[in-house]
C-alpha cells in the first residue's frame, strides 16, 4: 500500500470511527473493509461478492474500493471456493470466502474437514490455514428451500476448526475482525434473520472481540439461559418477560461454538442452579447437547433442576409457510424456565 | 485399457470469424464453432531409441543423470518401504513402481520456489525436490512429523501429500492465485491420478484455473488403474487430457514412461505458466506395476499377462538404455549408483528406525497455533493417561523377565 493510500485510509477511519445505527450485515461489511484496508494479504472471494456486492449486500462497495483481484467473483463452485481458500491461506494470504447460503455449504465440508482443519496438524505447523468461511445461516426470512438451515453442529464437531456465530452488529464487527486475524480456520455463520433486524452504533476502529469466550448479555441469579445467533433475540425477550414476574435470567451468548467456553457457562450455572439452552438448530446432537452433557459432567452438583433445551424440531427445516412454527418462540423459553423453577 | 491417441481429430479450435466461414458448410448439423485436438508425444521408444528428434536437454548430463539417479532411488526406496511394511516396521505404503519416469520428471522440471501439490504416489517428485528419505519413511511409519520437511533446501511451501482423491486440486488454484496476485514468477503443480479426473473437485479446479489464467500445471498421472477400476471404466473420453478443453485450458498427452517426454512437456508448461500464459494440463500415460498399496492385491482384478506386457515398458531400463547410447552413462556409473543408492536407503532406514515415537501431546500441539483453553484439560488428561500406560507397560515387561 502506498503512503498516500495509507494516509487516506487513516483519514477515512478518522471520519468514520463510529458507524451510527448500522445493521449486522453492514457491520460485516465494515469489518471486511477495515481488514482489506489494513492488511494487503486479506482478500474476499465468493459467488456474486464482487460487482454485485453479495446477495445480502455484505460485500457492497468492496469491489469498487479494492478491485477485482482482491474482491473476487468466483465461478459457481463451492468446493473451489473453500479449497482455493486453503491454497491461498497456505501461501500466507488471508482469504475471507463467502458461501452464499448455508444450504450450499456442504461441498465445502469435505475441504474443511479433510484439509482446512488439519493442514497445520498434518505438517506440524509448517503450513497453516488462516481462512474464514462466511455463510448466512438460519430461518426466518421467507427464503426458498435449502436456504434456512442451522447446521452449526456439523462444523463444531470438526477438530481444528473454530465456529463463530455473531448475535449483534457490534459483535459481528468485532468477532469477524478476530476471525480474519486468527491464525487458524474459522467458520463464521451469520444469522440472516437478524441481518437487518437490529441497529446499533459500532466503532469502526479495528478493535476485535475475543474468540473462544462467551458473552454475558444479561445478568441474573435465578436461571442461566444459554444461546447464540438469532435465538438471542427470543431469549432476551423471554428474559424480559420473566423479569416482570420477578425471575432474573442470566443470558449467555456462546458466540464461539467451538472451542467451547464452558467456564463462563459453568460459573453461571453454579450461581443460578438452573439452565435452559436455546438454539434454532434441531435438538438431536445439537451443540446444546454438548453443553448439557458438560454441565451434567462438571456442574451437576450445582443444579437445582434438570437442564432443559428449547430448540428447533428434529425435522427438515420447513419451507417459508411453516418456518415460524419451527423456531423457538419466547413463550416456549418462558415455559421451559418455569418448569425448571417449579422443579425446585 | 487406454491406448495413446496418436492421431486425433486435427482441426484447431476455431475462434475467429474466418475459421467459422471455412467450416460453415457442414450440412444440417450446423456450423462448427469449435474444434480441438489432443497431441501425444514420445521421444524414446520402449528400448530407449529416439523416435523423433530429441530435445537438447536429453543429451545434457546435468539434466539427465539426476533424473535417472532419482528414478533408481525412488524404486529402491519403494522396495525398502515394502520390505519394512512386510516386517511390521512401516504402515500401509503406496509404491510408485513403474511410474518413476513421470514422478521424477515432474520434480526435476519444477523450480525450487514452485509449489508441488501431489498425491501419495509422487515420491519421486518429492525426493527430487528435497524431501528426505527418512521423512518419507517417518510419514508412512505413522508420524505426521514426516510432512514437516526439514532437510537442507526442503520445499517448505509444498503441500503434504493428498490422501483423499482430487481434493487438493482446488488448493492448487488458491496457491496459484496467490502467486499471480503477488506477481511472483512461480508456478503451482498439481499431480493427480486417472481416478481423480472423475471427481468434481478436479473440474472445479480446472475451471477456476482457466477463468483466472493462473500459473498452474496439472499433471494427470494416468497409471491406468484406480485401485481395481481400469481406465476404460473410469471415463468414456478418448483421453483424460481433453477434460481440460471444457475449461479452455490447453492440454496434451505424453508417454509417461519416457522421462524425456514428461520433462519436456513439464518444462514447456511451467515456462509458459511462469511467463503469464496461464494453466496447462499434461496427461502422462504410465502404468502402476505395483499393487495399489501394500494392503492391496492387484492379482484379484488384473491379469498377469497385462502386467508382463507392461513390465517390458519399464521407464528405468528405457532411460538407462538411452543414456548409455548417448554416452551419458556407463556400466561403472551404474555400479556406483547401485552402491550409493543402497547406502543412502540403508542409512535413511536406520535413521527412521531409530526415531523416538512422537509425544502423545503432539496431537494437541499442532491443532491450533495456540492451544485453546477449552482443550487444556483434555491435553493434560492425555499426557497423564499415556504416562501411566507407559509406566504400566514397562513394569509389565520387567515382571515378565
Amino acid at each position: 500500500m502506498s503512503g498516500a493510500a495509507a494516509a487516506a485510509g487513516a483519514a477515512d477511519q478518522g471520519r468514520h470511527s463510529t458507524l451510527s445505527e448500522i445493521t449486522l450485515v453492514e457491520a460485516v461489511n465494515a469489518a471486511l473493509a477495515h481488514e482489506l484496508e489494513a492488511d494487503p494479504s486479506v482478500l474476499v472471494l465468493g459467488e456474486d461478492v464482487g460487482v454485485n456486492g453479495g446477495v445480502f449486500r455484505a460485500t457492497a462497495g468492496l469491489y469498487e474500493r479494492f478491485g477485482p483481484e482482491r474482491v473476487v467473483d468466483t465461478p459457481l463452485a463451492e468446493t473451489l471456493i473453500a479449497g482455493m481458500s486453503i491454497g491461498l491461506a497456505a501461501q500466507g494470504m488471508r482469504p475471507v470466502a463467502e458461501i452464499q447460503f448455508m444450504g450450499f455449504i456442504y461441498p465445502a465440508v469435505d475441504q474443511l474437514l479433510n484439509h482446512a482443519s488439519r493442514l497445520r496438524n498434518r505438517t506440524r505447523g509448517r503450513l497453516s490455514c488462516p481462512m474464514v468461511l462466511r455463510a448466512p445461516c438460519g430461518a426466518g426470512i421467507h427464503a426458498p428451500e435449502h436456504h434456512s438451515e442451522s447446521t452449526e453442529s456439523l462444523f463444531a464437531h470438526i477438530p481444528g476448526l473454530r465456529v463463530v456465530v455473531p448475535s449483534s452488529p457490534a459483535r459481528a464487527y468485532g468477532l469477524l475482525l478476530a476471525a480474519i486475524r486468527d491464525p487458524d480456520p474459522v467458520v463464521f455463520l451469520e444469522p440472516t434473520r437478524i441481518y437487518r433486524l437490529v441497529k446499533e452504533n459500532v466503532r469502526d476502529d479495528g478493535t476485535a472481540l475475543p474468540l473462544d469466550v462467551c458473552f454475558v448479555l444479561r445478568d441474573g441469579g435465578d436461571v442461566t439461559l444459554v444461546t447464540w445467533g438469532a435465538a438471542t433475540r427470543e431469549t432476551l425477550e423471554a428474559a424480559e418477560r420473566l423479569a416482570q414476574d420477578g425471575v432474573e435470567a442470566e443470558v449467555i451468548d456462546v458466540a464461539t461454538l467451538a472451542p467451547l467456553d464452558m467456564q463462563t457457562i459453568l460459573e453461571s450455572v453454579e450461581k443460578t442452579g438452573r439452565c435452559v439452552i436455546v438454539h434454532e438448530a434441531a435438538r438431536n446432537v445439537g451443540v446444546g447437547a454438548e453443553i448439557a452433557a458438560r454441565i451434567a459432567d462438571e456442574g451437576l452438583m450445582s443444579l437445582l433442576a434438570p437442564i432443559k433445551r428449547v430448540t428447533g424440531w428434529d425435522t427438515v427445516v420447513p419451507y417459508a409457510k411453516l418456518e415460524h412454527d419451527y423456531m423457538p418462540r419466547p413463550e416456549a423459553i418462558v415455559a421451559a424456565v418455569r418448569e425448571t423453577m417449579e422443579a425446585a | 485399457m487406454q491406448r495413446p491417441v496418436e492421431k486425433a481429430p486435427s482441426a484447431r479450435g476455431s475462434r475467429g470469424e474466418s475459421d467459422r466461414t471455412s467450416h460453415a458448410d457442414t450440412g444440417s448439423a450446423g456450423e462448427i464453432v469449435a474444434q480441438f485436438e489432443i497431441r501425444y508425444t514420445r521421444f524414446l521408444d520402449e528400448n530407449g531409441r529416439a523416435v523423433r528428434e530429441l530435445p537438447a536437454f536429453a543429451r545434457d548430463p546435468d539434466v539427465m543423470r539426476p533424473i535417472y539417479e532419482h528414478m533408481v532411488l525412488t524404486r529402491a526406496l519403494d522396495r525398502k518401504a515394502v520390505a519394512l511394511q512386510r516386517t511390521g516396521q512401516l504402515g500401509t505404503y503406496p509404491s510408485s513402481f513403474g511410474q518413476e519416469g513421470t514422478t521424477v520428471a515432474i520434480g526435476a522440471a519444477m523450480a525450487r520456489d514452485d509449489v508441488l501439490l501431489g498425491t501419495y504416489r509422487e515420491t519421486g517428485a518429492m525426493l527430487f525436490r528435497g524431501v528426505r528419505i527418512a521423512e518419507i519413511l517417518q510419514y508412512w511409519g505413522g508420524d505426521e512429523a514426516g510432512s514437516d520437511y526439514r532437510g537442507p533446501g526442503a520445499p517448505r511451501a509444498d503441500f503434504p501429500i493428498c490422501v483423499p482423491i482430487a481434493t487438493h486440486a482446488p488448493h492448487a488454484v488458491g496457491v496459484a492465485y496467490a502467486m499471480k496476485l503477488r506477481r511472483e514468477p512461480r508456478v503451482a503443480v498439481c499431480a493427480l491420478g486417472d481416478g481423480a479426473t472423475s471427481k468434481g473437485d478436479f473440474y472445479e479446479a480446472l475451471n477456476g484455473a482457466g477463468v483466472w489464467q493462473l500459473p498452474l500445471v496439472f499433471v494427470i498421472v494416468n497409471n491406468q488403474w484406480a485401485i481395481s477400476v481400469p481406465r476404460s471404466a473410469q471415463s468414456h473420453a478418448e483421453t483424460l487430457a481433453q477434460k481440460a478443453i471444457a475449461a479452455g485450458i490447453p492440454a496434451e498427452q505424453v508417454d509417461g514412461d519416457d522421462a524425456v517426454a514428461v520433462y519436456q512437456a513439464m518444462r514447456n508448461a511451467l515456462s509458459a505458466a511462469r511467463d503469464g500464459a496461464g494453466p496447462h494440463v499434461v496427461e502422462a500415460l504410465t502404468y502402476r506395476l505395483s499393487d495399489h498399496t501394500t494392503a492391496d492385491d492387484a492379482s484379484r482384478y488384473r491379469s498377469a499377462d497385462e502386467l508382463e506386457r507392461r513390465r517390458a515398458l519399464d521407464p528405468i531400463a528405457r532411460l538407462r538404455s538411452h543414456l548409455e547410447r548417448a554416452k551419458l552413462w556407463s556400466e561403472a556409473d551404474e555400479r556406483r549408483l547401485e552402491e550409493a543408492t543402497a547406502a543412502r536407503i540403508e542409512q535413511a532406514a536406520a535413521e527412521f528406525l531409530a526415531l523416538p515415537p512422537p509425544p502423545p501431546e503432539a496431537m494437541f500441539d499442532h491443532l491450533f497455533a495456540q492451544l485453546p483453553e477449552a482443550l487444556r484439560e483434555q491435553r493434560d488428561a492425555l499426557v497423564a493417561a499415556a504416562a501411566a500406560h507407559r509406566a504400566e507397560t514397562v513394569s509389565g515387561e520387567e515382571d515378565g523377565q
Side-chain angles (χ1 to χ4, degrees):
Chain A
M1 190 164 61
S2 74
D12 187 59
Q13 250 178 51
R15 275 203 309 279
H16 299 289
S17 61
T18 295
L19 302 165
S20 62
E21 293 296 298
I22 64 164
T23 62
L24 195 154
V25 71
E26 287 165 342
V28 166
N29 184 276
L32 292 172
H34 189 278
E35 289 309 274
L36 280 162
E37 184 71 50
D39 182 352
S41 66
V42 171
L43 74 170
V44 165
L45 65 151
E47 296 157 9
D48 307 298
V49 302
V51 178
N52 188 48
V55 295
F56 283 105
R57 318 295 305 141
T59 55
L62 301 180
Y63 176 90
E64 291 76 5
R65 199 167 151 198
F66 300 102
E69 285 190 326
R70 292 181 66 208
V71 182
V72 188
D73 276 321
T74 66
L76 209 165
E78 284 82 10
T79 297
L80 175 68
I81 293 168
M84 75 180 282
S85 297
I86 295 167
L88 284 161
Q91 273 291 306
M93 304 297 291
R94 299 253 166 181
V96 187
E98 175 177 305
I99 298 290
Q100 203 159 69
F101 283 96
M102 194 96 183
F104 312 149
I105 205 173
Y106 307 107
V109 173
D110 185 7
Q111 288 293 333
L112 293 171
L113 201 157
N114 275 317
H115 297 294
S117 63
R118 30 199 308 172
L119 189 59
R120 176 186 294 282
N121 186 61
R122 293 192 69 219
T123 59
R124 291 300 185 247
R126 179 170 63 82
L127 298 179
S128 60
C129 194
M131 65 176 274
V132 177
L133 194 72
R134 298 176 40 245
C137 72
I141 58 163
H142 310 294
E145 282 187 281
H146 300 277
H147 285 61
S148 301
E149 285 69 25
S150 292
T151 47
E152 64 267 21
S153 69
L154 292 181
F155 300 93
H157 194 64
I158 300 174
L161 204 58
R162 279 193 165 78
V163 182
V164 177
V165 189
S167 65
S168 73
R171 277 187 294 281
Y173 179 84
L175 290 172
L176 184 52
L177 289 184
I180 296 170
R181 294 171 193 172
D182 192 81
D184 293 301
V186 178
V187 172
F188 195 83
L189 301 174
E190 300 162 7
T192 55
R193 188 150 56 87
I194 56 170
Y195 254 160
R196 296 186 173 84
L197 199 64
V198 213
K199 291 183 180 181
E200 64 183 349
N201 292 344
V202 175
R203 277 189 68 80
D204 185 16
D205 59 359
T207 305
L209 286 168
L211 299 175
D212 300 1
V213 296
C214 300
F215 296 88
V216 180
L217 303 186
R218 188 184 192 285
D219 291 320
D222 298 324
V223 60
T224 301
L225 303 182
V226 180
T227 188
W228 55 89
T232 51
R233 305 289 310 154
E234 288 74 32
T235 306
L236 285 168
E237 191 182 324
E240 289 308 315
R241 288 192 204 177
L242 288 162
Q244 288 164 15
D245 295 339
V247 176
E248 290 302 331
E250 184 137 299
V251 177
I252 294 177
D253 172 11
V254 178
T256 302
L257 303 184
L260 196 52
D261 167 21
M262 278 308 295
Q263 199 184 331
T264 302
I265 297 170
L266 285 166
E267 279 168 10
S268 177
V269 171
E270 194 178 342
K271 180 172 70 177
T272 63
R274 297 178 180 83
C275 183
V276 175
I277 301 161
V278 184
H279 58 68
E280 186 177 311
R283 185 179 64 185
N284 187 43
V285 204
V287 173
E290 173 64 17
I291 294 171
R294 292 285 300 281
I295 296 171
D297 190 10
E298 296 161 50
L300 186 68
M301 297 312 166
S302 328
L303 286 176
L304 302 169
I307 303 162
K308 304 300 289 182
R309 280 180 288 164
V310 182
T311 69
W313 308 110
D314 288 337
T315 65
V316 172
V317 179
Y319 193 12
K321 288 284 186 196
L322 294 178
E323 66 180 339
H324 288 285
D325 292 306
Y326 178 83
M327 290 177 291
R329 290 197 168 103
E331 304 86 75
I333 301 167
V334 169
V337 170
R338 296 218 183 286
E339 262 189 76
T340 66
M341 300 303 293
E342 283 156 17
Chain B
M1 202 190 73
Q2 166 74 357
R3 295 170 59 82
V5 176
E6 298 194 39
K7 197 165 186 323
S10 65
R12 290 223 164 262
S14 66
R15 305 241 157 76
E17 275 308 306
S18 60
D19 282 357
R20 285 194 187 195
T21 313
S22 68
H23 291 300
D25 186 19
T26 52
S28 58
E31 65 176 317
I32 295 169
V33 294
Q35 274 188 308
F36 307 95
E37 63 183 11
I38 298 293
R39 290 184 177 273
Y40 169 83
T41 306
R42 153 194 262 195
F43 290 100
L44 302 175
D45 70 11
E46 46 269 43
N47 300 312
R49 286 180 194 281
V51 293
R52 55 191 294 181
E53 195 185 333
L54 289 173
F57 71 78
R59 301 185 197 286
D60 181 347
D62 292 339
V63 175
M64 296 315 298
R65 286 173 60 118
I67 291 178
Y68 179 72
E69 288 160 4
H70 280 84
M71 288 167 67
V72 169
L73 179 66
T74 303
R75 185 163 297 182
L77 170 55
D78 278 351
R79 287 215 174 97
K80 184 67 185 180
V82 171
L84 287 167
Q85 191 278 335
R86 298 293 187 227
T87 51
Q89 299 171 93
L90 199 75
T92 299
Y93 182 81
S95 170
S96 318
F97 187 27
Q99 301 178 204
E100 296 90 345
T102 294
T103 182
V104 170
I106 291 170
M110 292 173 68
R112 225 355 94 203
D113 282 350
D114 294 342
V115 170
L116 176 68
L117 302 98
T119 68
Y120 40 80
R121 227 184 293 282
E122 293 309 332
T123 306
M126 289 164 68
L127 288 171
F128 205 102
R129 287 182 57 69
V131 178
R132 298 178 65 241
I133 301 166
E135 288 171 337
I136 292 171
L137 292 172
Q138 182 181 17
Y139 174 76
W140 293 108
D143 185 352
E144 293 94 332
S147 297
D148 179 13
Y149 312 145
R150 286 185 166 278
R156 298 282 294 169
D158 281 8
F159 266 56
I161 61 158
C162 187
V163 180
I165 303 303
T167 52
H168 61 312
H171 306 164
V173 174
V175 169
Y177 193 100
M179 292 167 170
K180 182 168 181 173
L181 183 68
R182 296 188 297 230
R183 315 281 189 265
E184 296 165 345
R186 301 164 67 203
V187 184
V189 173
C190 178
L192 32 68
D194 39 312
T197 66
S198 297
K199 287 197 66 179
D201 307 50
F202 174 60
Y203 178 69
E204 289 192 21
L206 275 179
N207 191 53
V211 164
W212 292 305
Q213 287 296 290
L214 298 178
L216 170 51
V217 177
F218 293 95
V219 195
I220 302 167
V221 183
N222 176 357
N223 70 8
Q224 313 301 334
W225 290 92
I227 305 189
S228 69
V229 177
R231 164 64 181 84
S232 59
Q234 199 63 244
S235 170
H236 190 61
E238 299 97 317
T239 72
L240 299 177
Q242 74 199 57
K243 296 191 174 199
I245 290 167
I249 299 177
E252 64 185 301
Q253 266 190 344
V254 296
D255 183 341
D257 296 331
D258 171 4
V260 173
V262 180
Y263 184 82
Q264 157 96 347
M266 288 301 296
R267 284 302 276 208
N268 289 346
L270 284 159
S271 145
R274 221 181 294 289
D275 292 345
H280 195 89
V281 171
V282 176
E283 178 187 2
L285 298 174
T286 180
Y287 194 82
R288 192 193 80 211
L289 288 172
S290 64
D291 296 332
H292 167 66
T293 65
T294 47
D296 176 45
D297 175 6
S299 70
R300 280 202 294 262
Y301 50 81
R302 69 179 179 190
S303 73
D305 282 356
E306 178 181 314
L307 196 59
E308 272 320 297
R309 271 201 315 279
R310 293 304 303 226
R311 275 183 194 280
L313 306 181
D314 185 354
I316 293 183
R318 186 189 303 199
L319 188 59
R320 180 180 170 189
S321 153
H322 160 70
L323 295 180
E324 286 177 347
R325 198 169 290 120
K327 307 282 184 240
L328 301 178
W329 196 254
S330 67
E331 192 58 46
D333 287 328
E334 185 71 18
R335 273 199 308 277
R336 270 196 299 275
L337 178 64
E338 271 173 22
E339 279 169 29
T341 303
R344 280 186 72 183
I345 296 286
E346 284 315 309
Q347 192 189 356
E351 185 189 333
F352 156 64
L353 291 170
L355 283 173
E361 62 271 24
M363 70 176 90
F364 281 96
D365 291 349
H366 305 280
L367 197 56
F368 293 97
Q370 265 198 313
L371 187 73
E373 199 49 43
L375 292 179
R376 187 173 306 282
E377 206 177 306
Q378 283 191 35
R379 183 184 183 277
D380 292 347
L382 163 73
V383 170
H389 176 75
R390 280 173 176 77
E392 206 171 278
T393 311
V394 170
S395 89
E397 279 166 7
E398 280 167 359
D399 290 349
Q401 278 167 4

